[in-house]
Amino acid sequence: MGSPAKKQELDGSLCEVDVLPACCEVVQDKDFVIARLDKVFNKPVFSDIILRVGDDRFYAHRFVLITASSVFEAMLGEEQWKEAKQPEVCLTEEEECKPIFGYFLRYLYCGTVVLTTSNVLPFLLLADKYDVHALCKTCLSYMCHHIVETPDANKTLTWYQYAQVTCQIELRDQCLSFILSNFDIIMHASDWTFLTRQEMVGFLSCSEMVVQSEAELWTCVEKWLLAENNIENIEQNLREVLPLIRFTLIPPRSLTLVEKSELFKQHQTLFETKLNHAYRRHSLVMDCEDSDKITPLIPQELYRNYTNGDYCVHYPFTLANYAGVNKIDSRIVVHCSSRQTFVSSLRAKTEDDVIFSVYFYPRGYFTTLALYSSYMSRQSNDITLKVIRQKPLPPMKVDVTLLLFGKKNGVKYAAFTHNCSMVFTKENSTLSVEKFLSLDSLMKEDSPYLVDSNLEGNIFVKIQDAGDHLLLDSQG
């Protein structure tokens, strides 16, 4: 006697089926179904509508469009829309979307698309316009995984602009983190000159930016100012951008190059105040050893995360074969000789330099006991960073950045950054942060924070301010 028939739900529809025996096997010939739809894509056979985009015409099928897109469903399925009754519909698309519209349409039939850094944004614009959720999700995922590219293929700035406008929070935050940590890559990307004034102002206002030097930064900002698409607004751009260039942190030899440029000669009055302050501060620094007397006259602008050694804020480190190192041997120690006052030429270490000892525990925190040999005492798996000021000095506001490199598509880049800040005092001379990065993310085989199995990174220690007023500020 056969098994009683039961109703079972299959893909949203109810069918009368027998309970399947244990030997059953579900066959899913999805490729066959896709191949059938691919055969009728852009073919007049059974086509009941034509889509016109610019000079191109595409044969389409209403049932495919309506089931793939809620926008097409409303446009073609609701009588109040004139397109619902027309055999040919003209669609107005953005210029960058027209060349790939046929591929977008094919995706609605076959679910297949080839994405590149150049075409993913036009695909996303179409997917968003026509409410194709699956393709939106695919494009956003592609962007998040391809933020790291060589400068010629990098589109992070353009993607960041899109994410800002459309409130794509995850994409925006990932793009911004990459931009600020890899500004040397971004400044040479193909879309650098298409930054808006507001975006440029936002980036230049940031002290967490990682860049070789302020002089190098100015060179690329000048390129942006002189770009063909910005030249009409050059005076307004200069008025908003020049106050954010930290000319007191550009050596005099580089300042003279600024003065020789055509941009300076044509807009000299806009430059004068900033350059005069910079030259005056450099002169005072060379003549006066006491920075406390200089700062009230001409304040030094805040350090960025400069990788040029002239600034004395950048300290690289490497832990070879990270995964193979014992925990007790994994601690990274960096002694930093930092200066509050930028000196435009390298000089020998002086008594005015402030010594910080940085202890980084990338395999988890531990302390050691020295008996017959070193033994780990208290320990945890929390990745920890400690920064200790070695002498009891006046209060200092210090910014610290830990940067870890990764490597992708042959490009070495800043894959992770952690920024922290503290006012060091005689009573409180240690900054300690933990749990800012999981141990699992470093230990996994394909960790994005390793370069050829090595842990490589930079420590930035920047004295941004000093004096007893910092105590009053913290109390207030």
Side-chain angles (χ1 to χ4, degrees), residues 132-144:
V132 184
H133 294 294
L135 184 55
C136 279
K137 185 177 179 180
T138 296
C139 290
L140 289 170
S141 176
Y142 175 92
M143 287 173 161
C144 288

Side-chain angles (χ1 to χ4, degrees), residues 329-340:
D329 300 318
S330 66
R331 184 179 69 173
I332 296 170
V333 181
V334 179
H335 297 295
C336 308
S337 179
S338 301
R339 299 166 183 163
Q340 181 189 357

Side-chain angles (χ1 to χ4, degrees), residues 77-210:
E78 298 179 10
E79 293 184 359
Q80 65 265 35
W81 296 99
K82 63 179 182 179
E83 289 86 355
K85 300 177 182 179
Q86 293 177 342
E88 183 168 332
V89 175
C90 182
L91 301 176
T92 302
E93 308 298 349
E94 299 290 339
E95 284 301 318
E96 63 266 35
C97 296
K98 290 180 181 179
I100 57 99
F101 186 85
Y103 299 104
F104 167 74
L105 189 60
R106 187 173 185 273
Y107 173 87
L108 302 186
Y109 281 75
C110 309
T112 301
V113 66
V114 177
L115 296 177
T116 68
T117 57
S118 297
N119 71 19
V120 65
L121 185 55
F123 272 116
L124 181 55
L125 292 173
L126 288 172
D128 187 45
K129 176 180 178 179
Y130 291 101
D131 197 27
V132 184
H133 294 294
L135 184 55
C136 279
K137 185 177 179 180
T138 296
C139 290
L140 289 170
S141 176
Y142 175 92
M143 287 173 161
C144 288
H145 287 88
H146 288 78
I147 288 174
V148 182
E149 294 290 345
T150 55
D152 60 319
N154 193 289
K155 298 292 182 182
T156 308
L157 287 174
T158 302
W159 298 350
Y160 174 73
Q161 292 170 328
Y162 170 83
Q164 282 274 79
V165 172
T166 58
C167 297
Q168 296 290 347
I169 305 302
E170 182 181 0
L171 177 62
R172 181 201 67 189
D173 291 348
Q174 287 196 36
C175 286
L176 181 59
S177 176
F178 179 85
I179 288 168
L180 294 178
S181 301
N182 297 273
F183 219 73
D184 284 328
I185 294 177
I186 292 299
M187 291 190 301
H188 297 95
S190 59
D191 48 4
W192 166 255
T193 57
F194 293 97
L195 274 177
T196 66
R197 181 192 307 147
Q198 183 180 5
E199 289 160 348
M200 181 64 77
V201 167
F203 294 149
L204 294 179
S205 301
C206 186
S207 295
E208 286 75 36
M209 177 195 299
V210 179

Side-chain angles (χ1 to χ4, degrees), residues 49-336:
I49 189 170
I50 295 174
L51 301 180
R52 181 186 292 276
V53 179
D55 295 330
D56 296 321
R57 299 169 76 245
F58 301 95
Y59 293 99
H61 305 78
R62 292 174 185 267
F63 88 93
V64 174
L65 302 178
I66 288 174
T67 55
S69 160
S70 62
V71 174
F72 278 128
E73 182 180 10
M75 183 190 301
L76 305 178
E78 298 179 10
E79 293 184 359
Q80 65 265 35
W81 296 99
K82 63 179 182 179
E83 289 86 355
K85 300 177 182 179
Q86 293 177 342
E88 183 168 332
V89 175
C90 182
L91 301 176
T92 302
E93 308 298 349
E94 299 290 339
E95 284 301 318
E96 63 266 35
C97 296
K98 290 180 181 179
I100 57 99
F101 186 85
Y103 299 104
F104 167 74
L105 189 60
R106 187 173 185 273
Y107 173 87
L108 302 186
Y109 281 75
C110 309
T112 301
V113 66
V114 177
L115 296 177
T116 68
T117 57
S118 297
N119 71 19
V120 65
L121 185 55
F123 272 116
L124 181 55
L125 292 173
L126 288 172
D128 187 45
K129 176 180 178 179
Y130 291 101
D131 197 27
V132 184
H133 294 294
L135 184 55
C136 279
K137 185 177 179 180
T138 296
C139 290
L140 289 170
S141 176
Y142 175 92
M143 287 173 161
C144 288
H145 287 88
H146 288 78
I147 288 174
V148 182
E149 294 290 345
T150 55
D152 60 319
N154 193 289
K155 298 292 182 182
T156 308
L157 287 174
T158 302
W159 298 350
Y160 174 73
Q161 292 170 328
Y162 170 83
Q164 282 274 79
V165 172
T166 58
C167 297
Q168 296 290 347
I169 305 302
E170 182 181 0
L171 177 62
R172 181 201 67 189
D173 291 348
Q174 287 196 36
C175 286
L176 181 59
S177 176
F178 179 85
I179 288 168
L180 294 178
S181 301
N182 297 273
F183 219 73
D184 284 328
I185 294 177
I186 292 299
M187 291 190 301
H188 297 95
S190 59
D191 48 4
W192 166 255
T193 57
F194 293 97
L195 274 177
T196 66
R197 181 192 307 147
Q198 183 180 5
E199 289 160 348
M200 181 64 77
V201 167
F203 294 149
L204 294 179
S205 301
C206 186
S207 295
E208 286 75 36
M209 177 195 299
V210 179
V211 67
Q212 181 182 354
S213 67
E214 196 72 16
E216 176 70 14
L217 177 60
W218 165 249
T219 298
C220 291
V221 171
E222 185 180 24
K223 176 183 175 183
W224 173 81
L225 288 164
L226 295 172
E228 184 178 352
N229 53 296
N230 295 322
I231 202 71
E232 290 184 3
N233 301 309
I234 191 167
E235 185 166 337
Q236 184 59 36
N237 287 341
L238 276 169
R239 291 184 184 278
E240 295 197 32
V241 165
L242 280 179
L244 303 174
I245 300 298
R246 304 176 184 185
F247 285 105
T248 59
L249 296 172
I250 296 179
R253 61 183 180 274
S254 297
L255 291 176
T256 58
L257 297 178
V258 175
E259 291 182 294
K260 292 178 181 179
S261 69
E262 288 300 317
L263 186 61
F264 174 85
K265 294 175 183 177
Q266 294 172 11
H267 303 276
Q268 186 171 344
T269 55
L270 298 178
F271 282 85
E272 281 180 345
T273 300
K274 289 284 289 186
L275 287 184
N276 288 341
H277 281 188
Y279 278 124
R280 188 180 178 200
R281 180 170 177 88
H282 286 306
S283 177
L284 289 171
V285 167
M286 297 304 295
D287 291 341
C288 181
E289 291 292 330
D290 190 350
S291 62
D292 292 339
K293 296 180 181 179
I294 301 172
T295 300
L297 299 173
I298 306 289
Q300 176 176 290
E301 292 154 302
L302 298 179
Y303 286 112
R304 305 187 200 271
N305 287 330
Y306 300 116
T307 57
N308 186 297
D310 288 357
Y311 294 95
C312 298
V313 300
H314 162 245
Y315 303 89
F317 64 83
T318 300
L319 179 63
N321 187 25
Y322 167 81
V325 174
N326 293 324
K327 184 173 183 176
I328 197 171
D329 300 318
S330 66
R331 184 179 69 173
I332 296 170
V333 181
V334 179
H335 297 295
C336 308

Side-chain angles (χ1 to χ4, degrees), residues 315 333-338 354-359 388 390 461:
Y315 303 89
V333 181
V334 179
H335 297 295
C336 308
S337 179
S338 301
V354 182
I355 306 301
F356 293 89
S357 295
V358 179
Y359 301 92
I388 302 174
Q390 293 300 330
V461 179

